[in-house]
Amino acid sequence: MTFDPWDQAAPFLQAALDQSRQRLSLEDVKAAVESGAAHLWLGQKSAAVTEQTMDTNAWLFGGDLEEAKSMLLSAEAFAAHQGCKTMTIWEGRPGWERVLKSLGYEKRTVLVKEL
């Protein structure tokens, strides 16, 4: 049997999508990862998805919080190696601000208009 990381990641990511205001399906996320538009980070008890533009945006995470911090540090190193200057987390739940402050994250305002 071949190991498919998506099988392990899917339950964590679906749980995160269920709590998110993002209008994405799990299939949308998988397509972004498979196309190379997004990167899947897989832990033992969690999974995250990042995308890279001029900066790297961690846009989906589900699972163990302590493992998330470790995975985020790996994603930051990857982003820096790719030339990114910042890491962003859009629409994170309110508790993320408290948890990630110790890693140097700060809250900034984002204005959004639904069209």
Side-chain angles (χ1 to χ4, degrees), residues 20-42:
S20 171
R21 289 180 281 182
Q22 297 182 46
R23 295 181 181 169
L24 296 171
S25 68
L26 192 58
E27 292 75 27
D28 294 331
V29 176
K30 185 175 184 180
V33 170
E34 288 177 343
S35 74
H39 186 84
L40 176 65
W41 299 86
L42 184 61

Side-chain angles (χ1 to χ4, degrees), residues 66-85:
E66 288 304 312
E67 189 172 58
K69 292 192 288 187
S70 175
M71 291 168 62
L72 189 55
L73 292 173
S74 295
E76 290 172 6
F78 175 79
H81 183 74
Q82 300 295 315
C84 294
K85 302 295 183 205

Side-chain angles (χ1 to χ4, degrees), residues 1-111:
M1 180 190 253
T2 305
F3 173 72
D4 182 358
W6 189 256
D7 290 339
Q8 185 175 337
F12 299 122
L13 298 178
Q14 184 62 62
L17 285 169
D18 291 346
Q19 295 182 24
S20 171
R21 289 180 281 182
Q22 297 182 46
R23 295 181 181 169
L24 296 171
S25 68
L26 192 58
E27 292 75 27
D28 294 331
V29 176
K30 185 175 184 180
V33 170
E34 288 177 343
S35 74
H39 186 84
L40 176 65
W41 299 86
L42 184 61
Q44 295 295 316
K45 301 176 280 183
S46 49
V49 178
T50 60
E51 63 182 345
Q52 196 171 326
T53 56
M54 290 175 48
D55 303 317
T56 294
N57 179 37
W59 56 275
L60 188 60
F61 172 80
D64 183 74
L65 192 56
E66 288 304 312
E67 189 172 58
K69 292 192 288 187
S70 175
M71 291 168 62
L72 189 55
L73 292 173
S74 295
E76 290 172 6
F78 175 79
H81 183 74
Q82 300 295 315
C84 294
K85 302 295 183 205
T86 59
M87 174 74 80
T88 60
I89 300 173
W90 291 81
E91 295 192 34
R93 295 190 308 262
W96 282 108
E97 180 182 358
R98 177 183 44 80
V99 169
L100 298 179
K101 187 174 184 175
S102 67
L103 297 180
Y105 284 82
E106 64 183 1
K107 183 177 181 178
R108 295 186 183 174
T109 302
V110 176
L111 302 174

